[in-house]
Amino acid sequence: MRNKLCERIINLELLFVVSECLFPAKWEGAWFQSGVRQSILISKNELSTKGRCLHNEGDKYLLVDQKSCYRCVVIHEKHSNVLQYKETFCHSRNSLASLCSYITGDALLYSMFREEALPVACPFRGPMTFSYNRGHGTCSNPPSNVDTCTDDSRLLFKYQACPDVPASESAVEELECLATWKEGSSRYLVGRLHHGHASSNEDRYRCFVYEKAGQTVQGNLNRAAMGMGTMDHEVALPGGPVPEGSAEVYRVAQSGDATCNGLFSPMEGSRTMTLRKVSSPGECRFPNWLTGHSSGGLTWHTLDLGRSYTFHPRNASLHVTRTNTTSSSFESGSMDLQYVPGPEDQDVKILCNSIKQSNGAQTMMTMTLVAHFTVGCRSGFMCMTFYRRDGHVIELQTGSAVSRPEEACSPPHFLQHNTPFLTLVSEYNSSSSSVVCAFPFSRCVSSTKFSATSFTLLEHVMHLLTFPRESIAICRNYLQRNFATLSLK
């Protein structure tokens, strides 16, 4: 009689709290867990594989399924794209506190990864070289390579085979970064691997633990094993974002399956890697007449406004983007445009690698350098020569793509006298003492292709770049004076 009374009291308690137990709204959606065939769905008070939530206290949840299996599930959000939990076995009805007491320190830690996750910026950036070890020795010669894709949430790993290391092989893997977090002194990364052998989520999802050289990863192993350590969401590396071009070394360990189990140190894992930055920091910089004097950099445009070239002085980078301002009347023009390698619909990221020729002054008129470019996840090196023609006008020559930087500016990859020029113009700056007039129009005329239609195109460009009317009028008069055969309306 007494037992039945207690059972009724527990039932009443469960009915009373059922409407109060809801999972956080930001957890709702489909999740992948290794070993579970179907997606795990979280919606309001439902966790598809475990049942519905009856009661919760903080991160502890009392769940019951259709078979009257009651269990305590302790869930921790490591990142908006990663949930980790521990749980009890099935029990009969009982209080949340009583059920949760059955979770022991060595209970298995499960990881769930959001299936439609928005990617995040990867914690390290290429170009880098790396060595790797799959348990049969370190493969370091020849060195393998990793490059950051145009999208900084993707990395391309190019593994080289070492003749004297078993299990080493040539392979290419693309890593899409989905989550980063810090737990104790350890830093974690979850990503999706894309390669020829990845046919399911079990093959794609992998967990990593990493450290930057000079930092010690000696987290509290007990807390790591419990999965209950304190953490910060989307943690940046100490000192803020790592500048591109700075000297960096990372040690990384990768899980052997789609879990984070057993990853306590970057020195132990199914595969360990040591990543090293390719170039030394701070030596290669674009001149001020390319980057401008503001920290935000300077943007240049092709004459048809089809692409924009934005220089970022802080990290010696150049981003080439396609713009949508080109009108249909320009598309039928005959102006020759030289673009950097890659399809026209993809952005290009360029890093200054080394300076080949300059006079060492910020007022110099030319600069030749070796640049590292990335288009999508394809990358390489090329030679670039910039010519300062006016405060608002530069010209650019670009060589062919090569895999080794020392070859970029050598024949036949770069032939200065045979390489066409690309003209770029910047936005008008009222403080400038010069007015764009003789250039770039003079080059167009000297090529015998200049016409009234060409001037209409260039005039439209100047309008879009906010040049004042008097500047355009001066240029019109200049052309009519110097080229009597040109009829401008």
Side-chain angles (χ1 to χ4, degrees), residues 161-295:
C162 293
D164 56 338
V165 180
S168 66
E169 60 180 351
S170 297
V172 177
E173 295 183 1
E174 181 183 325
L175 172 64
E176 180 184 14
C177 299
L178 301 179
T180 59
W181 73 92
K182 183 175 181 291
E183 190 169 313
S185 58
S186 300
R187 298 178 184 274
Y188 289 88
L189 162 68
V190 167
R192 269 192 298 250
L193 290 175
H194 303 278
H195 53 83
H197 301 294
S199 58
S200 68
N201 283 337
E202 292 283 358
D203 303 322
R204 296 187 188 100
Y205 285 101
R206 287 295 181 268
C207 194
F208 304 81
V209 59
Y210 65 92
E211 69 173 352
K212 190 177 181 182
Q215 299 171 356
T216 303
V217 176
Q218 294 178 341
N220 186 314
L221 297 188
N222 292 330
R223 291 174 61 183
M226 280 290 291
M228 308 303 173
T230 59
M231 55 86 194
D232 301 315
H233 296 274
E234 301 191 38
V235 176
L237 290 171
V242 178
E244 293 171 351
S246 63
E248 301 166 27
V249 177
Y250 288 93
R251 285 183 279 271
V252 184
Q254 176 183 320
S255 64
D257 54 21
T259 73
C260 293
N261 295 336
L263 281 182
F264 304 128
S265 162
M267 311 304 291
E268 302 175 27
S270 173
R271 175 164 58 190
T272 59
M273 295 173 279
T274 301
L275 283 61
R276 295 178 176 85
K277 195 71 177 179
V278 171
S279 57
S280 58
E283 296 300 325
C284 190
R285 289 287 185 268
F286 296 110
N288 288 344
W289 51 268
L290 283 177
T291 65
H293 295 277
S294 68
S295 59

Side-chain angles (χ1 to χ4, degrees), residues 22-319:
L22 295 174
F23 293 110
K26 58 183 177 179
W27 291 1
E28 293 191 0
W31 298 78
F32 166 78
Q33 179 181 317
S34 180
V36 180
R37 289 189 176 183
Q38 295 182 336
S39 299
I40 297 174
L41 302 178
I42 299 179
S43 177
K44 296 183 179 178
N45 68 333
E46 294 283 342
L47 182 59
S48 60
T49 57
K50 311 294 181 185
R52 72 182 189 277
C53 178
L54 300 177
H55 178 53
N56 80 288
E57 294 177 5
D59 53 14
K60 299 179 178 65
Y61 295 84
L62 174 61
L63 304 182
V64 61
D65 62 16
Q66 294 179 348
K67 297 180 180 180
S68 297
C69 168
Y70 291 82
R71 72 182 81 207
C72 169
V73 181
V74 183
I75 306 176
H76 281 270
E77 178 184 330
K78 298 301 180 182
H79 183 275
S80 57
N81 294 330
V82 177
L83 297 178
Q84 291 185 337
Y85 71 90
K86 292 189 173 189
E87 64 179 355
T88 63
F89 294 107
C90 285
H91 290 274
S92 58
R93 295 183 182 94
N94 210 328
S95 66
L96 177 62
S98 296
L99 288 177
C100 292
S101 66
Y102 291 111
I103 296 181
T104 60
D106 59 352
L108 190 59
L109 176 68
Y110 298 96
S111 297
M112 296 194 300
F113 309 130
R114 189 183 295 276
E115 291 187 350
E116 299 299 327
L118 294 176
V120 301
C122 295
F124 24 82
R125 302 170 183 171
M128 287 179 147
T129 60
F130 70 95
S131 58
Y132 65 95
N133 189 325
R134 287 176 172 161
H136 300 277
T138 300
C139 176
S140 58
N141 189 22
S144 301
N145 296 279
V146 58
D147 276 304
T148 303
C149 302
T150 306
D151 181 350
D152 62 5
S153 66
R154 293 175 179 266
L155 292 169
L156 191 68
F157 287 83
K158 299 177 183 178
Y159 291 88
Q160 299 291 337
C162 293
D164 56 338
V165 180
S168 66
E169 60 180 351
S170 297
V172 177
E173 295 183 1
E174 181 183 325
L175 172 64
E176 180 184 14
C177 299
L178 301 179
T180 59
W181 73 92
K182 183 175 181 291
E183 190 169 313
S185 58
S186 300
R187 298 178 184 274
Y188 289 88
L189 162 68
V190 167
R192 269 192 298 250
L193 290 175
H194 303 278
H195 53 83
H197 301 294
S199 58
S200 68
N201 283 337
E202 292 283 358
D203 303 322
R204 296 187 188 100
Y205 285 101
R206 287 295 181 268
C207 194
F208 304 81
V209 59
Y210 65 92
E211 69 173 352
K212 190 177 181 182
Q215 299 171 356
T216 303
V217 176
Q218 294 178 341
N220 186 314
L221 297 188
N222 292 330
R223 291 174 61 183
M226 280 290 291
M228 308 303 173
T230 59
M231 55 86 194
D232 301 315
H233 296 274
E234 301 191 38
V235 176
L237 290 171
V242 178
E244 293 171 351
S246 63
E248 301 166 27
V249 177
Y250 288 93
R251 285 183 279 271
V252 184
Q254 176 183 320
S255 64
D257 54 21
T259 73
C260 293
N261 295 336
L263 281 182
F264 304 128
S265 162
M267 311 304 291
E268 302 175 27
S270 173
R271 175 164 58 190
T272 59
M273 295 173 279
T274 301
L275 283 61
R276 295 178 176 85
K277 195 71 177 179
V278 171
S279 57
S280 58
E283 296 300 325
C284 190
R285 289 287 185 268
F286 296 110
N288 288 344
W289 51 268
L290 283 177
T291 65
H293 295 277
S294 68
S295 59
L298 182 62
T299 298
W300 301 78
H301 306 270
T302 54
L303 293 180
D304 70 340
L305 296 183
R307 285 206 170 189
S308 297
Y309 288 62
T310 302
F311 290 87
H312 301 280
R314 285 186 175 179
N315 54 16
S317 69
L318 164 62
H319 286 79

